[in-house]
């Protein structure tokens, strides 16, 4: 059975230069990009014309073998004991078994054709109406590509370049250090001088005792 790959759903290779994005035969100027969105989609990798044709052929042969097998069994039932009846019996049994096998095979192909698998698509839209899809089964990779392109759009950066080949799981894209989120600074201790409580120069009880001594002496 034939199986289609993600290459049939969108681009898998690309290069980001100073001011443009190259994907396959499409070149997009960074300043012409208008929209970028990531969506989750399902596709049927086995749903191809050759597989559908094979499924129909197996189903047709199944019906034909079952029909002629039943006809042979009917002939054996109508002429029991004859040599031609025994031949029809063996032929009918073989045709019915072959028909059952072909029917099971047709059902398996039909189930595989209906099988769906998820993948993610990064759609890049330009100001002239074009939409270029980048597809992969890993969303984080597409988010990384989107973030690099967005950084170049927002800042006009011409130094960030790179390339990616999703067929080989190669993604050589790096944001400059200035575009990465800075790590939080450690909390600083309060170095300001503390305000001390006012110093107690005289004790009120000692002053009262001295005044009593002066009165008694006078």
């Amino acid at each position: 059975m034939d199986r289609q790959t993600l290459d049939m759903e969108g681009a898998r290779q690309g290069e980001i230069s100073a001011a443009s994005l190259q994907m396959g035969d499409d070149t997009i100027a960074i300043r012409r990009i208008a929209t970028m969105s990531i969506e989750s989609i399902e596709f049927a990798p086995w749903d191809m014309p050759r597989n559908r044709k094979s499924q129909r052929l197996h189903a047709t042969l199944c019906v034909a073998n079952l029909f002629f097998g039943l006809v042979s069994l009917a002939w054996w039932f109508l002429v029991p004991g004859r040599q031609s009846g025994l031949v029809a019996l063996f032929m009918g049994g073989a045709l019915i078994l072959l028909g059952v096998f072909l029917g099971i095979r047709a059902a398996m192909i039909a189930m595989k054709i209906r099988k769906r698998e998820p993948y993610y698509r990064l759609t890049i839209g330009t100001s002239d109406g074009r939409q270029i899809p980048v597809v992969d089964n890993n969303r984080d990779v597409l988010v990384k590509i989107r973030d690099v392109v967005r950084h170049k759009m927002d800042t006009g950066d011409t130094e960030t370049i790179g390339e990616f080949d999703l067929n080989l799981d190669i993604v050589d894209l790096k944001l400059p250090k200035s575009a990465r989120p800075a790590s939080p600074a450690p909390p600083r201790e309060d170095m300001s001088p503390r305000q001390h409580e006012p110093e107690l120069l005289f004790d009120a009880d000692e002053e009262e005792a001295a005044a009593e001594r002066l009165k008694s002496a006078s």
Side-chain angles (χ1 to χ4, degrees):
M1 292 181 65
D2 295 335
R3 187 186 191 280
Q4 61 179 336
T5 61
L6 287 176
D7 297 89
M8 301 179 182
E9 301 292 324
R12 300 274 291 162
Q13 301 174 347
E15 180 181 358
I16 298 178
S17 60
S20 64
L21 174 61
Q22 179 75 31
M23 292 189 299
D25 297 331
D26 295 306
T27 302
I28 308 172
I30 298 295
R31 58 184 178 83
R32 299 291 298 274
I33 295 177
T35 60
M36 290 189 296
S37 63
I38 298 178
E39 54 185 346
S40 176
I41 304 177
E42 291 185 345
F43 81 118
W46 302 99
D47 189 5
M48 300 186 67
R50 184 173 179 178
N51 294 337
R52 290 195 295 267
K53 182 178 180 180
S54 176
Q55 192 269 337
R56 289 194 297 267
L57 178 61
H58 279 76
T60 302
L61 291 176
C62 168
V63 173
N65 279 274
L66 290 177
F67 173 77
F68 288 109
L70 292 175
V71 170
S72 298
L73 292 179
W75 177 260
W76 167 76
F77 181 76
L78 293 175
V79 289
R82 295 185 182 180
Q83 185 176 2
S84 60
L86 294 176
V87 173
L89 175 62
F90 287 113
M91 289 184 60
L95 290 174
I96 288 179
L97 290 176
L98 181 59
V100 171
F101 171 77
L102 292 172
I104 294 174
R105 179 64 178 168
M108 292 175 62
I109 296 175
M111 291 177 62
K112 210 161 190 178
I113 289 176
R114 287 196 293 269
K115 184 179 179 181
R116 295 186 172 273
E117 296 180 3
Y119 73 97
Y120 300 95
R121 175 188 293 170
L122 168 61
T123 304
I124 301 176
T126 62
S127 56
D128 58 0
R130 288 186 300 163
Q131 288 190 341
I132 312 300
V134 184
V135 297
D136 194 45
N137 53 9
N138 188 347
R139 189 177 188 275
D140 294 337
V141 173
L142 299 181
V143 169
K144 184 176 182 180
I145 297 173
R146 183 198 63 185
D147 290 343
V148 172
V149 176
R150 177 185 293 171
H151 166 73
K152 294 177 68 69
M153 292 171 58
D154 294 342
T155 63
D157 177 24
T158 58
E159 297 180 359
T160 303
I161 60 176
E163 60 182 359
F164 58 91
D165 188 344
L166 304 182
N167 292 320
L168 302 177
D169 293 331
I170 298 176
V171 180
D172 185 14
L173 300 173
K174 294 182 180 180
L175 286 172
K177 293 182 178 180
S178 58
R180 299 174 186 172
S183 58
R188 298 179 58 185
E189 296 182 359
D190 187 7
M191 302 301 293
S192 59
R194 297 180 179 178
Q195 296 181 354
H196 299 283
E197 297 181 356
E199 184 179 359
L200 184 60
L201 299 179
F202 300 99
D203 191 350
D205 294 337
E206 293 180 357
E207 292 182 354
E208 291 178 359
E212 291 293 334
R213 287 196 295 269
L214 290 175
K215 289 180 181 180
S216 61
S218 59

